Amino acid sequence: MPDEPLAHVDDWEQSLEVRYPRGQSKTKDEFRNYRTLVRPGVRDFYRLNHRHQTFDFVRAKKHEYLALAKRRMGIWEAMEFLNTLVDDSDPDTDLSQIEHLMQTAEAIRHDGHPRWFILMGLIHDLGKILCLLGEAQWAVVGDTFPVGCAYSEKVVFAEFFEENPDRQVPAFQTPCGVYEEGCGLDRVHLSWGHDEYLYHVVRDYLPPEALYMIRYHSFYAAHKEGAYGHLMNAQDREMFQWVRTFNPYDLYSKGAERPDVAKLRPFYEELIAEFFPAELRW
Ligand SMILES: [Fe+2]
């Protein structure tokens, strides 16, 4: 499908591991080399993402989804729903979505972090059910970035923003655009995807640290590259420490080892029930 250049949405996650190799701080040249290291599908994916994620598109998707009127599901049910996201990968060797989520949560648990942090790791990608609700890959995954203001050169494949119609709107191309300096990210529209969607589903049930990690974990230009500081407020700067704390678990905990879902399920069912009602609005 021309609009679905990734063989699987997880190909984007793998491209992040290529971009940010474990235990290495990269040079500017390495950042540029990334463009040549990733598979062609990833490049095509970003081209679509940067072209189509306009200010109006983001506002329309928020209007469509943030009423949370699409589904009613518990957390475990949403995990099983996400698990139906299949692709042409090999089911015998590739891990399921639930297994990926559990690997992340188990790595956080292993390091002795609080229960809400473990739970956040388990659920942080559930917004990817957007794929199953009919959204294209470029509207579900990918690095997020603010719309309605100038694009940072630190957003990966920033050259593709030349194809975004917003590039021709002068009001959107100043550093602050439609926002005010220091206004705080809560007031800034980021490109639409799984982070923002899940944030709204769970915002009443988790501590602010967990909500920041969920809402901004794909905002690499900010939490990895230090861009867009002029839009942040003091709370954003403080809470981004948590987004950075979570990032290694997001990037590097998805190994080849298969977690024992049946054995772990009681622990996680109890953890889910500690924070969430039996049913949430999606
Ligand atoms: Fe994610």
Side-chain angles (χ1 to χ4, degrees), residues 15 21 46 49 54 70 81 113 155 164 166 169 197 210:
S15 78
Y46 276 114
N49 175 276
T54 62
K70 298 270 183 194
F81 184 40
H113 288 297
V155 179
N164 189 306
D166 285 356
V169 180
Y197 177 46

Side-chain angles (χ1 to χ4, degrees), residues 107-121:
I108 295 165
R109 184 183 175 192
H110 179 264
D111 287 351
H113 288 297
R115 285 171 72 78
W116 58 259
F117 196 159
I118 302 169
L119 178 59
M120 188 284 307

Side-chain angles (χ1 to χ4, degrees), residues 104 107-108 111 113-114 116-117 120 209 212-213 216-217 223-224 238-253:
T104 305
I108 295 165
D111 287 351
H113 288 297
W116 58 259
F117 196 159
M120 188 284 307
E209 294 86 349
Y212 262 82
M213 292 189 265
Y216 300 112
H217 73 273
H223 72 70
K224 271 283 193 192
E238 193 192 320
M239 287 290 164
F240 261 59
Q241 295 299 331
W242 288 98
V243 181
R244 290 187 195 96
T245 301
F246 170 56
N247 185 247
Y249 296 107
D250 193 15
L251 281 183
Y252 310 124
S253 64

Side-chain angles (χ1 to χ4, degrees), residues 7-11 14 85-97 100:
H8 191 284
V9 288
D10 290 344
D11 287 359
Q14 279 166 10
L85 187 61
V86 287
D87 62 319
D88 22 357
S89 59
D90 180 355
D92 291 332
T93 54
D94 290 330
L95 298 185
S96 68
Q97 294 292 321
H100 273 317

Side-chain angles (χ1 to χ4, degrees), residues 16-203:
L16 290 169
E17 279 183 66
V18 175
R19 197 156 106 222
Y20 298 112
R22 188 200 285 265
Q24 283 178 37
S25 59
K26 64 193 166 28
T27 64
K28 256 189 178 157
D29 277 351
E30 283 166 340
F31 186 66
R32 292 208 186 87
N33 285 344
Y34 168 74
R35 294 147 196 270
T36 58
L37 288 173
V38 293
R39 289 179 240 173
V42 172
R43 200 184 148 82
D44 295 341
F45 163 80
Y46 276 114
R47 184 168 206 151
L48 290 172
N49 175 276
H50 290 5
R51 181 191 293 167
H52 295 303
Q53 290 271 2
T54 62
F55 187 78
D56 287 346
F57 174 80
V58 170
R59 302 244 307 186
K61 285 298 160 191
K62 285 185 164 182
H63 184 75
E64 180 183 352
Y65 281 98
L66 299 189
L68 304 179
K70 298 270 183 194
R71 287 274 200 294
R72 283 176 183 265
M73 291 184 287
I75 293 288
W76 193 272
E77 200 183 338
M79 288 168 66
E80 288 183 330
F81 184 40
L82 183 63
N83 233 18
T84 65
L85 187 61
V86 287
D87 62 319
D88 22 357
S89 59
D90 180 355
D92 291 332
T93 54
D94 290 330
L95 298 185
S96 68
Q97 294 292 321
I98 288 184
E99 287 167 327
H100 273 317
L101 291 170
M102 278 200 173
Q103 282 182 325
T104 305
E106 283 291 289
I108 295 165
R109 184 183 175 192
H110 179 264
D111 287 351
H113 288 297
R115 285 171 72 78
W116 58 259
F117 196 159
I118 302 169
L119 178 59
M120 188 284 307
L122 183 75
I123 67 167
H124 76 280
D125 270 343
L126 287 183
K128 289 181 183 172
I129 65 161
L130 284 170
C131 286
L132 298 163
L133 301 177
E135 294 302 318
Q137 291 167 345
W138 58 262
V140 180
V141 295
D143 295 43
T144 55
F145 54 87
V147 295
C149 62
Y151 306 112
S152 168
E153 281 301 306
K154 291 184 172 171
V155 179
V156 70
F157 287 112
E159 67 271 28
F160 290 145
F161 287 128
E162 290 305 316
E163 298 172 24
N164 189 306
D166 285 356
R167 191 80 183 78
Q168 310 306 324
V169 180
F172 292 164
Q173 294 307 322
T174 62
C176 286
V178 300
Y179 313 109
E180 276 173 36
E181 188 164 355
C183 64
L185 293 178
D186 187 50
R187 296 192 176 193
V188 174
H189 296 290
L190 298 193
S191 52
W192 176 250
H194 70 286
D195 299 34
E196 181 74 8
Y197 177 46
L198 184 68
Y199 162 72
H200 285 271
V201 173
V202 302
R203 57 184 290 180

